[in-house]
Amino acid sequence: MKLPDQRLCIFLSFTGNAEQAMRFYADKLPGAQVESLTLYEKSAEMGDEGKVLNGVLSLLGQKIMFMDMGAGYPAPPFNWSSSLLINNTDEAEFDACFAALSEGGTVMMGPEPVMHMRKCAWVTDKFGVTWQLVWE
């Protein structure tokens, strides 16, 4: 495993659907791509065979790491106290991100204008990850 060059990196722990989440984000979010994916080759103490040992998704110049935790070390559920913020460059990008992330998820707020921002939204996607979307 090669760690991303970033010194500070988001690391998301899933309970068996990390690869599905990575591929969903790579398919739906503008400019996102799976950079690396390593699966457990056999069941191990911390993970199950065929699940993600480590993966890296590139999104808007940032690296996000993914991992599936096994039954012996279940990942706690995601909650909205932590979120990923995307500062969109235009309305089309905002709308594409909102459509993708709200698909099967929960819209907590928006889209709506907030102060000087033209559109804001707060969405928990179908994997439980919370996103804040902004278009200034």
Side-chain angles (χ1 to χ4, degrees):
M1 172 180 102
K2 181 178 181 331
L3 289 174
D5 293 335
Q6 290 172 203
R7 292 192 58 212
L8 177 63
C9 190
I10 297 165
F11 192 104
L12 301 175
S13 298
F14 290 78
T15 56
N17 59 352
E19 183 175 5
Q20 181 184 2
M22 289 179 75
R23 297 208 184 279
F24 176 81
Y25 300 142
D27 185 48
K28 301 283 187 172
L29 297 178
Q33 68 179 44
V34 175
E35 287 202 354
S36 67
L37 181 62
T38 304
L39 304 178
Y40 289 101
E41 293 182 10
K42 60 181 182 174
S43 288
E45 187 175 319
M46 292 191 64
D48 300 323
E49 184 175 356
K51 297 300 179 181
V52 176
L53 171 60
N54 58 68
V56 177
L57 179 85
S58 175
L59 175 61
L60 301 171
Q62 300 296 305
K63 310 294 189 219
I64 303 172
M65 295 193 68
F66 289 72
M67 180 181 197
D68 279 318
M69 300 300 291
Y73 295 90
F78 294 113
N79 67 58
W80 60 271
S81 68
S82 297
S83 59
L84 304 177
L85 184 141
I86 298 178
N87 187 4
N88 294 272
T89 58
D90 57 40
E91 187 170 21
E93 184 179 81
F94 178 97
D95 292 345
C97 288
F98 180 79
L101 296 171
S102 62
E103 177 185 316
T106 303
V107 176
M108 299 168 60
M109 181 195 94
E112 61 191 62
V114 174
M115 297 173 19
H116 71 281
M117 295 170 276
R118 291 180 261 192
K119 281 188 178 179
C120 292
W122 206 351
V123 178
T124 298
D125 70 24
K126 65 183 177 180
F127 302 102
V129 178
T130 300
W131 301 79
Q132 294 184 53
L133 305 173
V134 175
W135 173 47
E136 290 188 272

